[in-house]
C-alpha cells in the first residue's frame, strides 16, 4: 500500500487491510512524499536471522521511503498473532536497510 501525502495540515494514514500501518499527525511532514507500507516475508530480510529462542509473533513490515524524517511522532500499528507465555516478553525488532 502506497499513498502520496500532499496535505500536511491534516492527519494521514497508510494502512493495510489488516489495520497495520502508520498514522502521521498534522504537521509531521513539510513536503509531498509517497509513504509505503507492505508485508515482507522474513527471508526477504537479507542477513537477518531470527535469534535462537526468539519466536516471531507477527508479519515483518517494510515502511518506505527509507530516511523519511518526521517533525512529530508518528504511530505505527503492528499486528500481534498469539499469546505470550508466562516469563516471556514481547519485543519489536527494527532493521535499517
Amino acid at each position: 500500500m502506497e499513498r502520496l501525502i500532499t496535505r500536511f495540515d491534516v492527519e494521514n494514514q497508510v494502512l493495510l487491510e489488516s489495520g497495520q500501518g502508520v498514522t502521521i499527525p498534522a504537521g509531521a511532514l513539510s513536503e509531498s512524499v509517497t509513504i509505503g507500507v507492505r508485508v515482507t516475508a522474513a527471508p526477504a530480510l537479507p542477513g537477518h536471522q531470527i535469534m535462537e529462542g526468539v519466536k516471531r509473533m507477527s508479519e515483518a513490515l517494510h515502511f518506505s521511503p527509507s530516511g523519511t524524517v518526521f517533525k512529530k511522532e508518528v504511530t505505527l500499528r503492528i499486528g500481534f498473532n498469539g499469546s505470550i507465555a508466562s516469563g516471556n516478553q514481547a519485543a519489536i525488532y527494527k532493521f535499517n536497510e
Side-chain angles (χ1 to χ4, degrees):
M1 163 67 72
E2 290 187 336
R3 180 168 172 221
L4 175 61
I5 308 295
T6 58
R7 290 208 42 206
F8 316 120
D9 59 337
V10 297
E11 177 179 279
N12 291 280
Q13 292 187 324
V14 182
L15 301 176
L16 301 173
E17 284 185 24
S18 63
Q20 299 178 105
V22 62
T23 299
I24 304 164
L29 291 168
S30 57
E31 59 185 38
S32 296
V33 63
T34 299
I35 300 292
V37 179
R38 65 180 168 86
V39 173
T40 300
L45 299 171
H48 301 290
Q49 301 297 321
I50 295 178
M51 294 177 286
E52 186 174 333
V54 173
K55 180 180 178 185
R56 191 167 58 134
M57 302 298 288
S58 72
E59 300 170 305
L61 297 176
H62 180 266
F63 295 91
S64 61
S66 178
T68 301
V69 176
F70 298 97
K71 294 180 179 181
K72 295 183 178 181
E73 291 183 3
V74 300
T75 301
L76 300 180
R77 295 181 182 190
I78 301 170
F80 179 78
N81 303 319
S83 61
I84 301 172
S86 178
N88 292 325
Q89 62 183 5
I92 296 175
Y93 291 89
K94 167 185 101 139
F95 302 101
N96 276 336
E97 297 292 321

